[in-house]
Amino acid sequence: MKRRLFLTLIAAATATSASMIAAPVAQAADEVKIGFLVKQPEEPWFQDEWKFAEMAAKEKGFTLVKIGAPSGEKVMSAIDNLAAQKAQGFIICTPDVKLGPGIVAKAKADKLKMMTVDDRLVDGSGKPIEAVPHMGISAYNIGKQVGDGIAAEIKKRGWDMKDVGAIDVTYEQLPTAHDRTAGATDALVAAGFPKANIVMAPQAKTDTENAFNAANIALTKNPQFKHWVAYALNDEGVLGAVRAAEGRGFKADNMIGIGIGGSDSALNEFKKPNPTGFFGTVIISPKRHGEETSELMYAWIKDGKAPPALTLTSGMLATRENVASVRQQMGLASN
Ligand code: FCA
């Protein structure tokens, strides 16, 4: 009996302190509060998105709540937490697009507006959930820019394509990842690259470590190639392949990796005094994905103006030679 009372008291105390954190008393009636949930908060791309979202928050005068949500459970509790904090809406890059129907239902139950960024939610049959406004990259075209860039550099170096292997770091369960690497493959093949030399290297998670492991298998199984190229859904994936190739003696002269992103993972690589196998990156815009989505959500909450159903953003290929000017052209230079 005594023990039970004790436990009840503990539970009551915990609930009180949790609700005090969750719901500040002195919130003005018209204060706008927007959540920004990302699947991989440690990845530079997502930190940049948050940085630009903060800029929108300062400029428009709303409160931004940044939440790292690497699992479905975290997403669900984060949405409840936002509702308890009296947020009116959120932007999310989900850890798994298949959580789509569950996230939509949770947002609806909590009466929160929602918009997705980067990764588009799918329904039970794998189709995009079109009712949720989305901003993503034009994945297939950006993948083609990667493939075209690799093909141009192979030709410039005068490599015989039959001696070149391509590491295609894949993550097929994510549609934007599929479209990006498919675009790169198609562009390479269109440029005359032998399809048989493209080695699929499925990664278990979209980070450098998992890409490194996947690429190592591809390299071990294919000792016949003199040179390598690599592509993936993002810079981190290509970096994994580049590091794996380095470990086998394929350095800048024998490796052409082109990523997608243009955040610190790529920039740090370009800052190294000597070139590495990380040849280039298609720079995409964390400014548009962070700042513009936040502004769209703000206008939706404030003026009832819903964001466009679908916005696809573009990218520009950069190498260590022209990265500064490309960043400037994309409005990223001063940030
Ligand atoms: C996906 C990838 C990220 C980034 C983003 C635009 O979410 O996982 O690395 O490329 O799309």
Side-chain angles (χ1 to χ4, degrees):
M1 197 62 186
K2 257 191 189 158
R3 186 176 146 77
R4 176 173 255 168
L5 179 64
F6 177 72
L7 287 177
T8 312
L9 284 174
I10 293 277
T14 318
T16 313
S17 54
S19 67
M20 275 168 68
I21 297 165
V25 237
Q27 183 170 321
D30 60 349
E31 193 196 327
V32 173
K33 196 178 259 190
I34 297 173
F36 204 118
L37 283 64
V38 304
K39 63 177 180 180
Q40 274 165 291
E42 72 289 351
E43 188 183 307
W45 166 262
F46 294 109
Q47 286 166 23
D48 283 351
E49 271 185 351
W50 272 348
K51 185 179 76 185
F52 285 108
E54 284 284 8
M55 285 183 190
K58 274 213 188 91
E59 151 95 24
K60 302 282 181 195
F62 63 84
T63 303
L64 183 78
V65 186
K66 298 180 285 189
I67 305 173
S71 68
E73 266 170 35
K74 287 261 165 62
V75 170
M76 295 306 163
S77 64
I79 297 173
D80 280 341
N81 188 271
L82 283 168
Q85 290 189 54
K86 305 225 171 0
Q88 298 91 340
F90 66 93
I91 296 142
I92 179 169
C93 177
T94 177
D96 180 353
V97 292
K98 293 204 189 73
L99 295 168
I103 296 177
V104 170
K106 175 62 91 182
K108 201 169 170 198
D110 280 339
K111 297 194 176 58
L112 290 169
K113 294 183 166 46
M114 76 177 277
M115 152 161 209
T116 50
V117 70
D118 305 335
D119 300 353
R120 199 176 188 192
L121 300 176
V122 298
D123 64 18
S125 54
K127 287 202 206 73
I129 301 184
E130 286 172 1
V132 177
H134 176 71
M135 183 185 286
I137 68 168
S138 29
Y140 184 77
N141 282 333
I142 285 173
K144 272 176 80 177
Q145 287 172 266
V146 170
D148 286 339
I150 293 175
E153 186 60 19
I154 293 176
K155 286 180 184 160
K156 197 170 155 202
R157 294 184 185 193
W159 292 353
D160 188 337
M161 289 205 190
K162 75 172 181 359
D163 300 330
V164 187
I167 304 175
D168 173 8
V169 180
T170 58
Y171 190 70
E172 292 297 284
Q173 55 268 59
L174 178 60
T176 183
H178 167 85
D179 294 350
R180 295 174 199 189
T181 50
T185 298
D186 288 355
L188 270 180
V189 171
F193 195 86
K195 206 166 184 174
N197 293 13
I198 299 176
V199 187
M200 296 263 268
Q203 58 179 167
K205 259 191 76 187
T206 58
D207 60 16
T208 298
E209 189 188 337
N210 283 278
F212 176 86
N213 294 338
N216 255 324
I217 298 170
L219 290 161
T220 309
K221 286 193 177 158
N222 294 279
Q224 70 274 28
F225 295 119
K226 283 195 201 151
H227 322 279
W228 283 98
V229 301
Y231 50 95
L233 93 152
N234 58 17
D235 290 332
E236 287 70 22
V238 170
L239 272 178
V242 165
R243 293 287 99 88
E246 274 167 7
R248 313 218 163 204
F250 295 94
K251 308 256 162 82
D253 286 352
N254 285 307
M255 172 59 147
I256 304 166
I258 298 189
I260 294 172
S263 298
D264 274 349
S265 306
L267 299 180
N268 291 339
E269 203 64 17
F270 292 151
K271 280 181 198 145
K272 293 182 176 170
N274 295 315
T276 69
F278 190 88
F279 178 76
T281 179
V282 176
I283 301 187
I284 52 178
S285 181
K287 184 170 161 68
R288 293 200 62 191
H289 287 227
E291 189 172 54
E292 205 173 305
T293 52
S294 302
E295 287 168 359
L296 287 168
M297 179 55 73
Y298 179 76
W300 196 3
I301 292 166
K302 207 69 185 157
D303 314 322
K305 187 176 171 276
L310 181 62
T311 308
L312 295 178
T313 61
S314 59
M316 286 175 77
L317 178 63
T319 62
R320 58 163 55 212
E321 264 67 58
N322 67 0
V323 62
S325 94
V326 173
R327 277 173 58 77
Q328 192 157 22
Q329 287 171 64
M330 293 189 67
L332 301 168
S334 54
N335 303 289

